[in-house]
Amino acid sequence: MKKIFSIILLLLLLSLAACAHTSARQAGRYDGLLYEEVLPNGLKVFALKDPNAPLAVFQIWYNAGSIHEQVGKTGLSHLLEHLMFKGTPKYGPKEFSKIISRAGGVDNAGTSRDYVYYHQKLAPDKLYLSIELEADRMSNLVMDPKETLSERDVVMEERRMRYDDDPQNIVYEEVMATAFKNIPYRWPVIGWMEDLKRITRDDLYKYYKEHYAPNNAMIIVAGNIDVDAVMTKIRSEFGGIPKGGRIENPDIAEPEQSGEKRLYVKKEAELPYVLIGYKTPNFLNDDGYALEVLAGVLSGGKSSRIYKSLIDEKRLALSADASYSSLDKYPSLFFLDAAPLPGKSIDEVEKALYEEVEKIKKEAPDEKEVQKAKNQVEAGFIMGQDSIFFQAEVVAMFEMLGDRKLKDKYFEGIRKVTPQDVQRAAQKYLVEDKKTVGVLVPLKKVESGN
Amino acid sequence: MKKQKTEDRRQKTEVTNPVTRYPLLVTVFILFNVFCSMFTDAYALDVKRTVLDNGLTLLIVERHNLPVVKVSVGIKAGSILEPEEKAGLASITASLLTSGTQKMTAQQISEEIEFVGGAVGASADEDFATVSLSVLKKDMDLGFDLLSDIIINPSFPEDELNKKRVRIKGSLKSQEDQPDFVASREFRKAVFGAHPYGRLVQGTPETLDAIKRDDVVNFHSAYYVPNNAIMSVVGDITPEEVKALLKQFFPEWHSKEIKSASLLKPTEVKERKTITIDKDLTQANIILGHAGISRDNPDYYAVSVMNYILGGGGFESRLMQNVREEKGLAYDIHSFFAPNKYSGTFQVGVQTKNESANTAVEEILKEINRIRNTPVSDTELADAKSFLTGSFPLRFETGARIANFLIAVEFYGLGLDYIDKYPSYINSVTKDEVLRVAKKYLDPDNFVLVVVANQEKAGLKPEFK
């Protein structure tokens, strides 16, 4: 199901394009119900009116994810995200979330490899609070040294929780670090613990000043909103913030891999686990569509090949999946993963995963299987639109990849995929010499048969 | 569960669920607020409630913004009804509904629904089981056909039961790698003892082995009956259409006398108890708490406000301010009252590096004592109320959420006007009441403390042992 979710994102704009055209009063323009404007300081703003939504969302996205960090300073982007809640001269260190909660809203933020974003959900008439608070912290962050160090401790605890005490996530971290030798996907978003210990307040402040600027950001507001009023407020709060330097994504390519890489993680655990990553392009390459459908054929629900074979028929695995996300800025990995049932070996499940891949390489999947994978994408997208947050996210994600209209291209691409395309993609990318295999070796003896 | 975890792991690298600042607003509030939200005038839901001839309570909300239909069926068939030696029976019965019917195999069921991009599934918790369906409007017939088939005619193939049993046992083993799972299991056991609320809904390897196909068949036949069920339908569909679909696909679902199991209120263990589990972890996973309240307790709303201030209110809570914001000791600390039908728990949960375990426990007790001994401030009270009353629409953004909410409102007997009354319940809470319920429902002396950690590094002080 998860791959469907990532694919679905695209279809959204398609439906918007079908809506009635409205003329714009300001410098911006409408595309269906989606209004778009670029302020003179380079800030891009989208406003999406959905009269059915019982609330409004505000999202601001910055081109400041972990790919923008340097060796030795990993985790900066995410730590800075935490510090964005630590106050400005106008609003003290504990004010941001307090103001939002008091208004009955919720707020949070997230950092990915490619970007960072901040968001709030509120009653539509409270949206002005988000606009004021976000404009203020785009350029006025205080970053008190004491608060900074204390928040660094919080992030270290977060790292312990998410990675150090979670054996499967450690395997994931190691597979990424081993598969990539050049592009910044090789380090984790949360950063290495050793780097976190060394990051200083000055590192963070410098990064903030360089990356947090209107021309390096994008806002999307959505919900049952008055677009004109919201835009007026956004122009007045953000319009005066000066332009900064343009942040480009690092121009880095990954060297060819010629031969399997294999690694082991030894940790206290009950069951072993295997994660296999194949180097694949993203959807800016036409093969991306076929790879998305391939992931659906292999792993889109209980009637998919991997579930049927490893879990249902052979009864080897407790969990087994294929997954692929084509929406990263850089080419990334197509994953297979599995945990064996107690008493079954890691070799058996790994072999069984490859068997499913080989079958597709030998013989193209049925027309019906391919159609099912496409149907899942389409239905998942329609259902996702029930969430206004999701609708906003779709617009932003594609825009962050270069152009929100890439969504149309993507959707058309998925629809055109044939069984032969799926077979060809498997033959081309799911090959031994391009893969990295991570294996979790449980240190505790596993009793069999229990 | 493991599967879930690997999904998380991957999603973390995507925008859809990146490394976030704070995970709790999602988890705690779903647990806590799903039962205590209100519909403001602007977002009032027009709920049509009827009880059909066969005893089924039917709740319908029309939403024509998307061509989608969501159905939830709540059935009073939770683990509370199963015998101790067959723990896991309610859960395995629910999960086997999609594993074959008189006319379809497990594979055919998933093939049919997945081909149209829909979903059908079932699971059980302590109080009730939920069967859910999600389809595009154009596939309603197919969806209702499947739904009725799995509810009325499951065949419970022996082979599928065995498969499921092996998988549940495997997942229980695998969950041992999740310290929060281990801590929570030990906590419930200590608070409720042998009562069903003290057990894992999934059962144990031993009790799972004791479940025979006949047990499943009998459990299903006893409880999966319309007069023991609530169905909510939300989406692009009219009440007439729903009734026509029920007539077409559920004509064979007949009411039946339900043998009333003698449900006992659990005897809550009121004593000081520490449970330590040694694992090679970097963090201590701590739960401190005791018995709480049931959902029908009239103090529920005062408790909601009190807990928001103590540890339920995200970043605003006292525990969060103290342990995370001021001391930098944890990424996550929270408290909640989890109300079940016949009882509930109160718990504070935190993860902190092993070496800080003692400090975290001390600070938790300090905050519990403080809220029991001194009235909360006017601002705290006002902020709690404005959040609790104001955040309603956020929880009911999607049809699926509305469908589940309606089941809970009906199951816990809150009344459909609950939606209108909730703000007044919350707004009438006073400072004195907050103090009263804090004294009454928080106990800084008799509590269960569970610490899953590298015990040597955590080095719990003697007074916590």
Side-chain angles (χ1 to χ4, degrees):
Chain A
M1 251 4 199
K2 59 212 169 264
K3 54 214 63 97
I4 293 149
F5 186 63
S6 69
I7 306 176
I8 0 181
L9 308 181
L10 319 238
L11 319 190
L12 201 240
L13 289 179
L14 201 68
S15 72
L16 296 174
C19 298
H21 191 271
T22 327
S23 67
R25 182 178 57 79
Q26 286 284 341
R29 60 193 172 86
Y30 275 96
D31 184 356
L33 293 177
L34 182 72
Y35 177 82
E36 176 179 354
E37 180 179 327
V38 181
L39 306 191
N41 60 9
L43 178 65
K44 195 172 284 171
V45 187
F46 293 101
L48 172 60
K49 185 170 178 68
D50 179 349
N52 292 302
L55 62 124
V57 303
F58 180 100
Q59 298 176 357
I60 182 162
W61 298 57
Y62 292 96
N63 205 28
S66 64
I67 57 168
H68 301 101
E69 297 161 356
Q70 305 301 315
V71 171
K73 304 286 179 201
T74 67
L76 250 180
S77 312
H78 171 250
L79 179 49
L80 176 57
E81 174 219 308
H82 280 239
L83 292 171
M84 283 286 279
F85 295 85
K86 291 292 186 176
T88 63
K90 192 168 170 190
Y91 302 102
K94 312 227 175 358
E95 284 302 297
F96 192 101
S97 299
K98 189 168 275 186
I99 292 170
I100 298 296
S101 324
R102 216 178 263 153
V106 293
D107 69 292
N108 210 333
T111 309
S112 80
R113 300 184 292 202
D114 294 340
Y115 30 70
V116 59
Y117 75 145
Y118 301 84
H119 52 85
Q120 297 94 42
K121 281 192 195 183
L122 295 147
D125 64 346
K126 300 282 169 50
L127 203 55
Y128 68 94
L129 285 174
S130 291
I131 299 169
E132 286 167 10
L133 288 163
E134 289 289 7
D136 179 50
R137 70 176 175 177
M138 181 187 268
S139 48
N140 299 324
L141 205 59
V142 171
M143 231 182 267
D144 169 72
K146 191 174 153 279
E147 295 273 359
T148 305
L149 287 181
S150 151
E151 199 61 25
R152 200 174 70 168
D153 288 343
V154 168
V155 170
M156 287 181 191
E157 292 296 348
E158 185 181 357
R159 196 198 138 81
R160 289 184 184 104
M161 188 183 85
R162 285 189 198 268
Y163 288 91
D164 301 335
D165 283 347
D166 187 327
Q168 292 193 0
N169 277 357
I170 292 280
V171 174
Y172 170 71
E173 206 173 69
E174 291 293 321
V175 165
M176 293 299 282
T178 307
F180 297 108
K181 50 165 70 169
N182 204 28
I183 63 169
Y185 287 170
R186 70 185 201 270
W187 60 71
V189 170
I190 200 160
W192 301 117
M193 191 64 104
E194 289 64 29
D195 285 354
L196 289 175
K197 285 179 194 159
R198 287 173 177 80
I199 286 172
T200 65
R201 189 260 177 203
D202 288 350
D203 293 331
L204 288 154
Y205 198 72
K206 184 164 165 266
Y207 187 87
Y208 168 66
K209 281 294 163 197
E210 280 168 6
H211 291 74
Y212 284 59
N215 52 317
N216 201 36
M218 171 180 58
I219 287 171
I220 173 143
V221 287
N224 191 9
I225 54 174
D226 175 343
V227 173
D228 283 346
V230 165
M231 285 308 304
T232 304
K233 182 74 178 166
I234 289 177
R235 283 183 213 110
S236 92
E237 295 292 330
F238 283 91
I241 302 175
K243 223 180 169 115
R246 174 83 192 153
I247 299 300
E248 301 296 342
N249 298 327
D251 182 17
I252 296 179
E254 182 64 18
E256 271 297 293
Q257 178 175 343
S258 47
E260 177 190 309
K261 304 185 194 183
R262 184 170 284 264
L263 63 98
Y264 298 89
V265 174
K266 293 185 182 175
K267 266 196 92 74
E268 180 178 312
E270 294 292 326
L271 294 175
Y273 171 72
V274 62
L275 175 68
I276 303 147
Y278 296 93
K279 294 257 175 67
T280 41
N282 60 15
F283 97 101
L284 299 171
N285 178 313
D286 281 350
D287 291 336
Y289 312 118
L291 287 165
E292 291 277 17
V293 175
L294 171 62
V297 168
L298 283 173
S299 186
K302 290 185 174 177
S303 61
S304 66
R305 291 193 175 205
I306 287 181
Y307 188 95
K308 242 157 79 176
S309 158
L310 273 76
I311 292 178
D312 209 38
E313 284 159 15
K314 294 182 184 149
R315 305 186 191 183
L316 286 174
L318 182 58
S319 65
D321 285 291
S323 62
Y324 168 71
S325 164
S326 64
L327 301 178
D328 295 326
K329 280 184 182 169
Y330 293 95
S332 190
L333 300 177
F334 186 106
F335 289 106
L336 301 174
D337 76 289
L341 279 170
K344 304 292 177 186
S345 77
I346 200 76
D347 293 345
E348 283 174 282
V349 293
E350 190 183 345
K351 209 170 125 248
L353 284 171
Y354 298 143
E355 275 168 22
E356 292 311 312
V357 170
E358 291 309 314
K359 272 187 211 155
I360 290 185
K361 286 189 192 172
K362 277 201 202 85
E363 194 180 339
D366 296 348
E367 191 69 54
K368 199 180 170 203
E369 280 179 288
V370 169
Q371 191 57 48
K372 179 173 67 184
K374 295 186 197 174
N375 290 349
Q376 288 179 328
V377 172
E378 190 148 4
F381 164 72
I382 294 170
M383 291 178 187
Q385 287 182 92
D386 211 6
S387 156
I388 191 69
F389 190 87
F390 172 79
Q391 292 193 47
E393 201 171 42
V394 171
V395 175
M397 265 178 98
F398 280 90
E399 186 65 25
M400 291 304 285
L401 278 167
D403 182 355
R404 66 178 178 84
K405 293 198 169 140
L406 284 173
K407 175 227 80 215
D408 301 351
K409 178 173 177 274
Y410 181 95
F411 190 34
E412 280 161 30
I414 292 283
R415 284 193 164 159
K416 281 192 200 137
V417 172
T418 66
Q420 286 68 38
D421 294 335
V422 174
Q423 183 185 21
R424 265 197 309 273
Q427 287 167 346
K428 185 169 174 189
Y429 297 104
L430 272 50
V431 296
E432 186 165 335
D433 288 349
K434 306 284 180 213
K435 77 175 194 258
T436 303
V437 183
V439 178
L440 171 66
V441 183
L443 282 185
K444 194 150 89 184
K445 195 107 183 97
V446 176
E447 312 93 302
S448 57
N450 193 16
Chain B
M1 210 55 191
K2 215 44 164 189
K3 195 168 164 166
Q4 180 83 42
K5 226 171 86 178
T6 53
E7 285 171 19
D8 282 353
R9 182 254 303 151
R10 240 163 265 136
Q11 281 182 356
K12 238 173 260 164
T13 67
E14 301 167 6
V15 219
T16 46
N17 192 4
V19 175
T20 51
R21 171 180 172 238
Y22 178 53
L24 267 194
L25 289 172
V26 189
T27 52
V28 172
F29 287 128
I30 284 175
L31 262 172
F32 193 61
N33 272 8
V34 96
F35 307 124
C36 66
S37 293
M38 58 105 203
F39 291 69
T40 63
D41 288 346
Y43 307 112
L45 283 190
D46 185 10
V47 187
K48 299 264 182 338
R49 181 185 186 278
T50 36
V51 178
L52 306 184
D53 292 343
N54 64 3
L56 177 71
T57 304
L58 180 63
L59 304 158
I60 302 169
V61 171
E62 291 186 55
R63 267 162 65 95
H64 299 288
N65 56 326
L66 288 174
V68 173
V69 176
K70 304 274 180 186
V71 183
S72 276
V73 185
I75 298 158
K76 291 169 210 163
S79 63
I80 189 147
L81 295 166
E82 68 196 15
E84 186 178 3
E85 68 279 8
K86 294 192 193 283
L89 177 59
S91 170
I92 209 166
T93 302
S95 70
L96 280 170
L97 293 181
T98 51
S99 296
T101 66
Q102 313 296 344
K103 59 178 188 187
M104 296 175 95
T105 64
Q107 270 305 322
Q108 285 167 330
I109 294 170
S110 29
E111 185 70 47
E112 285 239 342
I113 193 72
E114 286 167 10
F115 188 76
V116 301
V120 46
S123 64
D125 68 13
E126 292 89 350
D127 289 339
F128 60 99
T130 309
V131 188
S132 58
L133 166 74
S134 164
V135 277
L136 297 179
K137 183 180 170 70
K138 68 180 173 60
D139 303 314
M140 265 180 345
D141 280 10
L142 182 148
F144 271 78
D145 193 8
L146 272 178
L147 189 68
S148 76
D149 205 27
I150 63 167
I151 291 176
I152 306 172
N153 304 311
S155 55
F156 301 117
E158 190 84 50
D159 189 43
E160 294 287 341
L161 169 64
N162 291 332
K163 254 195 266 184
K164 198 69 91 182
R165 194 185 345 244
V166 171
R167 285 180 55 70
I168 298 171
K169 288 201 282 187
S171 104
L172 285 170
K173 195 172 193 45
S174 144
Q175 282 174 307
E176 295 295 322
D177 288 343
Q178 295 172 5
D180 52 343
F181 168 84
V182 175
S184 161
R185 179 189 58 201
E186 296 301 317
F187 176 76
R188 293 189 78 87
K189 206 196 311 181
V191 173
F192 292 121
H195 188 273
Y197 285 164
R199 310 192 294 245
L200 281 181
V201 173
Q202 302 96 305
T204 68
E206 295 71 38
T207 62
L208 284 162
D209 281 339
I211 297 172
K212 305 294 169 228
R213 181 175 176 275
D214 278 354
D215 299 320
V216 176
V217 171
N218 293 337
F219 192 83
H220 173 265
S221 137
Y223 299 115
Y224 282 70
V225 290
N227 44 318
N228 198 34
I230 303 152
M231 177 186 282
S232 62
V233 184
V234 179
D236 190 8
I237 190 166
T238 64
E240 292 68 36
E241 284 174 306
V242 174
K243 282 172 189 160
L245 285 164
L246 290 176
K247 208 167 181 181
Q248 185 182 354
F249 294 108
F250 284 86
E252 300 305 317
W253 207 19
H254 301 300
S255 67
K256 189 172 158 182
E257 198 184 333
I258 300 153
K259 55 171 185 187
S260 55
S262 50
L263 295 174
L264 292 177
K265 225 179 143 55
T267 14
E268 289 138 6
V269 185
K270 274 259 176 188
E271 58 175 1
R272 183 82 166 65
K273 200 169 182 181
T274 297
I275 296 149
T276 55
I277 291 168
D278 192 26
K279 274 180 178 284
D280 188 14
L281 298 167
T282 65
Q283 281 187 325
N285 279 257
I286 298 168
I287 296 180
L288 188 156
H290 44 65
I293 58 172
S294 58
R295 184 58 188 81
D296 58 5
N297 188 316
D299 285 335
Y300 180 81
Y301 304 96
V303 164
S304 300
V305 172
M306 185 273 289
N307 182 65
Y308 179 90
I309 297 168
L310 175 66
F315 276 98
E316 290 6 286
S317 80
R318 290 177 173 190
L319 284 168
M320 195 70 162
Q321 286 298 327
N322 178 340
V323 175
R324 172 170 161 155
E325 298 295 284
E326 281 160 33
K327 301 200 173 63
L329 286 180
Y331 174 63
D332 179 18
I333 182 162
H334 57 266
S335 69
F336 60 89
F337 281 79
N340 277 112
K341 180 96 173 169
Y342 304 99
S343 180
T345 55
F346 161 73
Q347 45 189 303
V348 181
V350 64
Q351 299 86 35
T352 186
K353 58 180 175 299
N354 289 313
E355 294 77 6
S356 317
N358 283 309
T359 318
V361 174
E362 281 158 14
E363 293 306 318
I364 291 166
L365 289 172
K366 213 181 270 177
E367 293 299 347
I368 288 176
N369 275 310
R370 181 156 76 102
I371 205 164
R372 289 179 83 248
N373 293 323
T374 321
V376 298
S377 74
D378 290 333
T379 319
E380 283 175 315
L381 184 70
D383 286 357
K385 287 179 180 178
S386 63
F387 177 82
L388 290 172
T389 57
S391 63
F392 155 69
L394 314 186
R395 326 232 168 276
F396 298 89
E397 194 188 346
T398 64
R401 280 188 164 201
I402 295 170
N404 288 330
F405 172 72
L406 295 178
I407 297 284
V409 167
E410 183 70 27
F411 179 77
Y412 291 106
L414 308 179
L416 287 183
D417 63 348
Y418 173 68
I419 345 190
D420 304 318
K421 288 191 177 153
Y422 178 77
S424 62
Y425 295 150
I426 291 293
N427 284 327
S428 64
V429 175
T430 63
K431 277 205 280 191
D432 287 348
E433 266 190 300
V434 168
L435 191 64
R436 178 182 64 79
V437 298
K439 279 188 205 293
K440 185 165 177 190
Y441 300 110
L442 299 178
D443 191 337
D445 301 314
N446 297 305
F447 56 82
V448 172
L449 174 64
V450 184
V451 181
V452 181
N454 178 324
Q455 299 295 340
E456 197 188 324
K457 288 186 183 154
L460 271 196
K461 290 182 179 171
E463 66 255 42
F464 296 138
K465 281 188 177 162

